[in-house]
Amino acid sequence: MGAGAKHRLVFVDRLLVTLVHLRHAVTHDVLACWFGVDRSTMTRAIGEVRPLLAERGCTVSPGVRLRTLAEVVDHLGASGKTGIVDGTEIRVRRPAAGRKDREKFISGKSKQNAIKTMVVTDGDGSVLFCSPAQHGSCADITHARQLGLVRLLEGGPALEILADAVTRVWAHRPADAW
């Protein structure tokens, strides 16, 4: 009767996949691994179910969209939430032999070739900011200074940002809070 491949996921699974994708921004590749199907099956399922949800008034709320580190600091200050900052390393292949900055990718912490990114979350674990990747030899505190986080905290609203011992704990609080 109909042309095209048959669905490998029942409707309830397609609905679940779509809701998980919309709520948690899980990629189609990850969802495909969880459900044991191809990525294109996920793409098709989400593409079919999302308009059905929209027709019935179920849409993704605009929510908080923070694009810069300054917006993150302002948001944390206005909401009174505690921020959590940490640098994370991602192992990468060793750069080509002729590359000038080849040694910069060796992390001082793990002694591996890596790139680093700085992530800021709120106390609930929601990711508010993820920095561009740096070479692995960059210390967390240096990366935070290069991003301007320390400067933003010095002149920004009263807030608290926690970090590990390597990064240090930064806070800008009113004098009576100490």
Side-chain angles (χ1 to χ4, degrees):
M1 294 194 96
K6 300 294 180 218
H7 289 289
R8 296 222 27 218
L9 297 172
V10 296
F11 180 75
V12 173
D13 287 342
R14 287 184 279 155
L15 177 62
L16 178 64
V17 161
T18 304
L19 293 175
V20 169
H21 171 70
L22 293 173
R23 175 66 176 98
H24 299 288
V26 177
T27 65
H28 295 196
D29 292 322
V30 171
L31 290 168
C33 284
W34 287 349
F35 282 83
V37 296
D38 192 66
R39 185 194 54 77
S40 62
T41 302
M42 288 298 130
T43 302
R44 186 172 79 172
I46 292 168
E48 290 172 352
V49 174
R50 197 169 178 173
L52 297 174
L53 292 172
E55 284 175 13
R56 286 157 184 81
C58 300
T59 58
V60 177
S61 62
V64 177
R65 302 219 186 258
L66 307 170
R67 291 178 173 82
T68 66
L69 197 52
E71 289 176 357
V72 170
V73 170
D74 290 340
H75 169 71
L76 289 171
S79 67
K81 291 185 176 182
T82 298
I84 301 169
V85 175
D86 197 14
T88 184
E89 292 184 354
I90 303 156
R91 287 183 59 188
V92 295
R93 285 187 173 184
R94 187 172 180 150
R99 189 169 172 165
K100 287 189 294 187
D101 61 348
R102 185 178 187 190
E103 298 304 314
K104 287 186 176 182
F105 285 87
I106 299 174
S107 166
K109 188 187 323 182
S110 66
K111 307 295 186 220
Q112 300 284 330
N113 289 292
I115 56 174
K116 269 188 183 174
T117 187
M118 183 73 62
V119 179
V120 181
T121 67
D122 62 15
D124 300 326
S126 298
V127 176
L128 303 176
F129 179 79
C130 185
S131 74
Q134 285 268 20
H135 50 79
S137 66
C138 181
D140 289 353
I141 188 68
T142 303
H143 196 171
R145 284 187 182 122
Q146 290 171 349
L147 292 170
L149 180 60
V150 175
R151 183 181 38 77
L152 288 169
L153 291 174
E154 288 173 350
L159 66 108
E160 181 177 38
I161 294 192
L162 304 176
D164 57 20
V166 175
T167 313
R168 309 223 190 336
V169 176
W170 300 301
H172 179 68
R173 302 180 196 164
D176 59 342
W178 293 101

